[in-house]
Amino acid sequence: HAKSRGWNNYEFFSAEMTETARKRFELETSLRLGIDRGELRLFYQPQVDLDSGEVIGAEALVRWMHPERGLVPPGDFIPVAEETGLIVPMGSWVLRTACKQIYEWGQMGLKPVRVGVNLSALQFKRQDLAAQVEGLLKEFSIDPSMLDLEITESAIMDDVDRAVAMLNRISALGVKLSIDDFGTGYSSLSQLRQFPFKTLKIDRSFVLDIDNNDGDAAIVSAIIAMAHSLNQSVIVEGLETEQQLNIMRGLHCNEMQGFLFSAPLPAEKFTELLQAGRRLES
Ligand code: C2E
Ligand code: MG
Ligand code: MG
Ligand code: MG
């Protein structure tokens, strides 16, 4: 019973809070160091066209190669990076590395693939984002349509007018724009049609249980119909089973990304997959 414990209870919570704050500070310090030491890595997860079965894109996903902890997933450090502002230099590194990779795959004579890069809300708020993207396109002389910037609903909804202006500037460069984790935010149809998104990515949570849950299937079907009526294509994230794939094919989803085809891969492994011409069997 909380009340009866009185002071002990207070001390317990304050000790726990100090511990949390200490861990957070340690993480921030080692992340700052890690970025400087070049410990970030980009992995690439294939995106497959459901008509042809071909790999036509990749999502770039950051990992932290920690000297002691090994490969750290973004869920363990992106929140702290966002709180501390470290996400801005980290995001610049991600964007630059992805553009360099597009250039290098081009140099290798591989079939061009579009590369998706996640933008955090803080990066998106920076006035210089469009100029930064334009600079990278020039520096690596890459086809702008091979770059696909992924933004979540929540990142654009707190200042819709500014977001529309920024997205239009980026879109005018020829860069593709995707709305990420669609369905988990609160954007309305009327708001969405103001934005120049080419692609809508359906969040994994909607397909997890789609083969048992008629409600989820109805929602996904409605999202796809809506996207297509706005001339947007649809990528479904997190497909793990043949049943989920068959359902998404039946709903005329355009592309898939998920463990069923491949997990995110280091650049060399993704290169091998492209060279081997691996495709999704129909
Ligand atoms: P996201 O952008 O929605 O990325 C998709 C996530 O789903 C990735 O997790 C991917 O590995 C995972 N995934 C894909 N297919 C499957 C599947 O079949 N099953 C399961 N269980 N998971 C699947 P990851 O790489 O851990 O990234 C998590 C989130 O971290 C991303 O979600 C994104 O929001 C963020 N993130 C990753 N890289 C970056 C980055 O460079 N910048 C920013 N700002 N955020 C990033
Ligand atoms: Mg994403
Ligand atoms: Mg997503
Ligand atoms: Mg997600």
Side-chain angles (χ1 to χ4, degrees):
H1 210 248
K3 245 183 188 167
S4 59
R5 273 196 249 129
W7 270 102
N8 284 335
N9 194 38
Y10 169 78
E11 280 169 7
F12 171 77
F13 280 116
S14 94
E16 182 164 86
M17 265 151 60
T18 310
E19 176 66 7
T20 308
R22 191 184 59 75
K23 278 198 175 141
R24 174 141 301 212
F25 180 71
E26 264 178 27
L27 181 62
E28 183 193 340
T29 309
S30 63
L31 183 56
R32 204 179 283 280
L33 257 172
I35 295 173
D36 288 345
R37 288 180 179 158
E39 291 171 6
L40 297 181
R41 301 283 179 274
L42 268 194
F43 276 43
Y44 297 87
Q45 186 176 34
Q47 297 173 328
V48 179
D49 180 84
L50 288 181
D51 289 329
S52 67
E54 279 180 42
V55 175
I56 58 171
E59 178 172 9
L61 295 156
V62 72
R63 272 97 183 88
W64 176 16
M65 192 53 152
H66 191 280
E68 285 121 42
R69 290 162 67 192
L71 214 56
V72 185
D76 291 1
F77 63 93
I78 294 251
V80 168
E82 271 167 351
E83 280 171 38
T84 56
L86 276 175
I87 194 75
V88 174
M90 180 184 292
S92 298
W93 179 86
V94 168
L95 199 50
R96 182 159 222 291
T97 305
C99 289
K100 186 157 172 262
Q101 188 62 70
I102 296 171
Y103 164 78
E104 283 172 1
W105 280 327
Q107 291 295 100
M108 295 171 75
L110 293 166
K111 179 195 74 172
V113 283
R114 186 193 63 209
V115 175
V117 173
N118 291 285
L119 288 187
S120 83
L122 215 59
Q123 262 179 298
F124 186 66
K125 282 202 179 77
R126 306 225 354 159
Q127 236 7 79
D128 59 356
L129 179 63
Q132 188 188 358
V133 170
E134 190 175 15
L136 289 168
L137 295 173
K138 287 215 180 89
E139 179 180 351
F140 293 107
S141 57
I142 51 180
D143 174 354
S145 68
M146 290 297 115
L147 183 63
D148 180 1
L149 301 180
E150 299 191 4
I151 301 157
T152 59
E153 289 164 88
S154 52
I156 50 180
M157 286 311 160
D158 45 69
D159 188 348
V160 172
D161 292 341
R162 204 201 76 91
V164 171
M166 178 58 88
L167 292 172
N168 282 333
R169 283 178 62 197
I170 296 173
S171 175
L173 300 171
V175 169
K176 295 233 158 79
L177 291 165
S178 295
I179 185 155
D180 201 1
D181 301 343
F182 187 80
T184 60
Y186 297 95
S187 45
S188 72
L189 237 183
S190 61
Q191 282 172 321
L192 273 182
R193 48 190 286 278
Q194 303 179 57
F195 297 108
F197 290 113
K198 293 270 195 315
T199 307
L200 184 154
K201 298 189 78 178
I202 295 182
D203 192 67
R204 181 175 163 260
S205 58
F206 291 101
V207 292
L208 263 179
D209 194 32
I210 200 166
D211 33 357
N212 301 307
N213 188 323
D214 292 343
D216 285 350
I219 290 170
V220 169
S221 172
I223 292 174
I224 293 174
M226 177 200 81
H228 287 171
S229 75
L230 296 173
N231 280 317
Q232 294 167 344
S233 76
V234 179
I235 304 185
V236 62
E237 295 188 288
L239 283 202
E240 294 185 357
T241 70
E242 292 287 344
Q243 292 94 304
Q244 292 166 347
L245 173 65
N246 291 334
I247 292 169
M248 295 314 294
R249 278 198 160 117
L251 294 175
H252 307 292
C253 183
N254 305 93
E255 291 174 44
M256 70 79 92
Q257 175 185 342
F259 294 173
L260 176 65
F261 185 76
S262 171
L265 303 169
E268 318 82 68
K269 294 278 172 211
F270 188 87
T271 307
E272 286 170 23
L273 182 144
L274 282 182
Q275 285 167 334
R278 226 193 99 197
R279 52 167 63 220
L280 182 71
E281 303 305 328
S282 44

